Amino acid sequence: MTGRGFVLALSGGIGGAKLALGLCRVLPPGALTVVANTGDDFTHLGLSISPDLDTLLYTLAGIDNPATGWGRRDESWTFMAALETLGGETWFRLGDGDLATHVERTRRLRAGESLSSITDDFRRRLGITARLLPMSDDPVRTRLLTDEGWLDFQDYFVRRRCAPAVRKIVFEGAAAARPQPQFRAALADDDLRLVVICPSNPLISIDPILAVAGVRDALKACPAPVVAVSPIIAGRAVKGPTAKMMAELGLPVDAAAVARHYAGLIDCFIVDEADGPALDGVEVATVAARTLMESMADRETLARVVLNAAGARQR
Ligand code: FO1
């Protein structure tokens, strides 16, 4: 990647945030825009909580909890302990510092400010040089039909620890949701050099973004190459329920199934060395690389692989 232009990354969850950080560190300031899934968002204890936006805010600001990938590092838990004594709901863990994010976001949303505007202010205050956008300022809520009936996303993911078997996933509100304006504009911007689909769970982190009205078509019409990174390595997900969900939905649990899931949207697929480069039944160009991101160097190296793959495949 040389010269002017910017990169757009679609991300949700922990894995996506790791690559977003790698991209942020190898690109010039202001050359990265990250679009976050908001299908995980929910109202809890009267607070508007946006987990994937917060995972990106904390990760890009270097204040994320390295053990969990969500919430802040060096947290204290006085609020949770006090809530427990009062019989409040403590299944969704809110650290004292993280609580400030939810309280301030809720206050500003109630005052009529958009999620985008609040997010942009938060990222600037945290010293983040990348632009961070919610996929939409309209509400979209992921819900799952399981063998225990319909569950809201955080109920399924946190309270039930992904145990119920998933039969169907829906994104309530997505068809009526408008893409965040700068996100929509970026996809048609001549300065856009690359779109990266980060190694997030395709079913619950990327699909909600693609389900927002007009996004899939805008991505197909996008002049820039679209490169996706596989979240599956040698048949297993690095973290979270991706593999379990794919199996429950009847998908083969391998990188090729992810490439097919993105068929028609991507120009290049980055797979782990354990799986690639040849993927049976997959037409799209594939590049094999180390996709497990343990160190900061791993994050930056994978980011460079993604940028180079795009350079090699200008539409
Ligand atoms: N994930 C958990 O597994 N347990 C939690 O208690 C938890 C709390 C939490 C608080 C704030 C936040 O931004 C994220 C939090 N997450 C928690 C992760 C959350 O469930 C996200 O939706 C996942 O990271 C998937 O994107």
Side-chain angles (χ1 to χ4, degrees):
M1 290 290 289
T2 53
R4 272 175 346 115
F6 69 99
V7 173
L8 189 71
L10 310 184
S11 175
I14 315 301
K18 287 183 178 177
L19 180 57
L21 180 59
L23 289 164
C24 196
R25 289 171 64 96
V26 302
L27 285 166
L32 176 66
T33 294
V34 185
V35 175
N37 164 46
T38 57
D40 292 9
D41 293 12
F42 73 138
T43 300
H44 182 61
L45 305 174
L47 297 169
S48 298
I49 297 178
S50 297
D52 284 352
L53 274 173
D54 291 345
T55 292
L56 283 161
L57 277 170
Y58 298 152
T59 301
L60 296 179
I63 57 172
D64 58 307
N65 177 327
T68 56
W70 52 264
R72 286 176 178 237
R73 66 182 59 194
D74 309 328
E75 263 296 11
S76 54
W77 299 91
T78 306
F79 167 71
M80 276 282 113
L83 188 65
E84 181 88 48
T85 66
L86 298 172
E89 288 187 79
T90 56
W91 57 270
F92 194 79
R93 314 289 302 151
L94 297 175
D96 298 330
D98 189 36
L99 181 61
T101 304
H102 310 309
V103 167
E104 182 59 5
R105 172 183 284 127
T106 302
R107 182 189 69 79
R108 292 172 68 164
L109 285 169
R110 287 206 183 122
E113 193 174 352
S114 71
L115 183 58
S116 303
S117 169
I118 299 164
T119 303
D120 192 56
D121 184 49
F122 282 5
R123 66 100 178 170
R124 291 176 190 279
R125 290 174 183 274
L126 290 172
I128 295 168
T129 58
R131 200 166 46 160
L132 177 55
L133 309 172
M135 65 191 194
S136 172
D137 281 319
D138 300 319
V140 178
R141 294 292 175 266
T142 299
R143 303 196 74 230
L144 303 99
L145 178 58
T146 74
D147 56 357
E148 297 179 13
W150 283 99
L151 293 173
D152 290 341
F153 181 80
Q154 297 299 344
D155 260 6
Y156 162 79
F157 192 87
V158 179
R159 203 168 51 78
R160 301 290 291 102
R161 301 189 185 292
C162 308
V166 176
R167 301 278 180 263
K168 185 179 170 65
I169 304 170
V170 297
F171 311 116
E172 281 186 359
R178 291 156 293 177
Q180 199 283 343
Q182 294 164 300
F183 169 31
R184 183 68 191 78
L187 288 172
D189 190 325
D190 288 342
D191 280 347
L192 178 62
R193 302 291 296 278
L194 165 65
V195 179
V196 183
I197 297 182
C198 292
S200 306
N201 182 320
L203 305 171
I204 56 172
S205 294
I206 302 299
D207 278 358
I209 301 175
L210 301 177
V212 172
V215 167
R216 196 173 270 273
D217 290 343
L219 209 47
K220 283 180 177 169
C222 179
V226 180
V227 178
V229 179
S230 176
I232 297 283
I233 299 178
R236 293 180 60 251
V238 176
K239 184 179 175 74
T242 307
K244 177 175 181 288
M245 288 177 140
M246 288 176 74
E248 288 164 355
L249 292 169
L251 296 169
V253 182
D254 56 31
V258 176
R260 284 193 296 274
H261 190 74
Y262 293 139
L265 290 176
I266 62 175
D267 300 284
C268 182
F269 190 55
I270 312 287
V271 293
D272 193 79
E273 289 149 342
D275 298 303
L279 283 188
D280 53 342
V282 172
E283 287 72 47
V284 75
T286 60
V287 170
R290 174 182 161 81
T291 60
L292 184 62
M293 293 175 277
E294 291 169 311
S295 66
M296 189 60 81
D298 289 340
R299 290 162 173 73
E300 293 177 0
T301 303
L302 183 57
R304 293 190 199 285
V305 167
V306 170
L307 297 174
N308 292 336
R313 284 172 187 75
Q314 288 298 342
R315 268 185 182 169

